[in-house]
Amino acid sequence: MTDEAARLEDCSRTCGCCGEPRRGVPDYAFRRPDAVVARGDGAVLHVDSNDLCDVEANGARRVFLRGVLLIPLRAIPGQSFGYGPWVEVQRDDARRYVQATRDGDVGALAPLPATLANDLPGCEGTTGLPVALRGQPNGQRPSIDAAVASPHRLAAEQRDGWDAARLRAVLADGPFCRGTA
């Protein structure tokens, strides 16, 4: 491992959720979709879990699932930076996903079309970006594949990975290990 990779892996910080000290390259998770956080008067939030919610406003219902979008780290072989964003899916697709999860068949479910529902730190302009949601076995959150014929920078970065400079820039942009990356 290079000195640069060692410094990146040694990123120390305090977890924003539990307050516990953490080391290593952080992940970035979202508590809710941006549309839920910014909902206006009259909108009703239905939360089924930390991985499924929907919002009802003006007679329309929007359904969201949370997944994991991994970016390979070229600076630290074998590791990835993980975003934990929400995606918006069609209601019928959400039902199929939930049923497949209950049946233990989520890994066999065909990828679901979705759109990112969060603006990712370091990759602005991602809200509404078309993605594919892929079920994962053993109760893992579904994976999100941004490389769906998209010209957005995120699609190329998910495919090609980040070098150390890009990782440092993203860490500096978000609420990560301030002053250590």
Side-chain angles (χ1 to χ4, degrees), residues 130-168:
V131 295
L133 189 72
R134 300 178 194 283
Q136 299 296 309
N138 304 321
Q140 297 177 63
R141 286 191 173 118
S143 66
I144 298 170
D145 183 4
V148 182
S150 172
H152 195 282
R153 173 183 192 172
L154 180 61
E157 290 182 332
Q158 189 176 31
R159 182 188 63 241
D160 301 334
W162 286 343
D163 62 15
R166 180 71 174 120
L167 176 59
R168 278 193 311 279

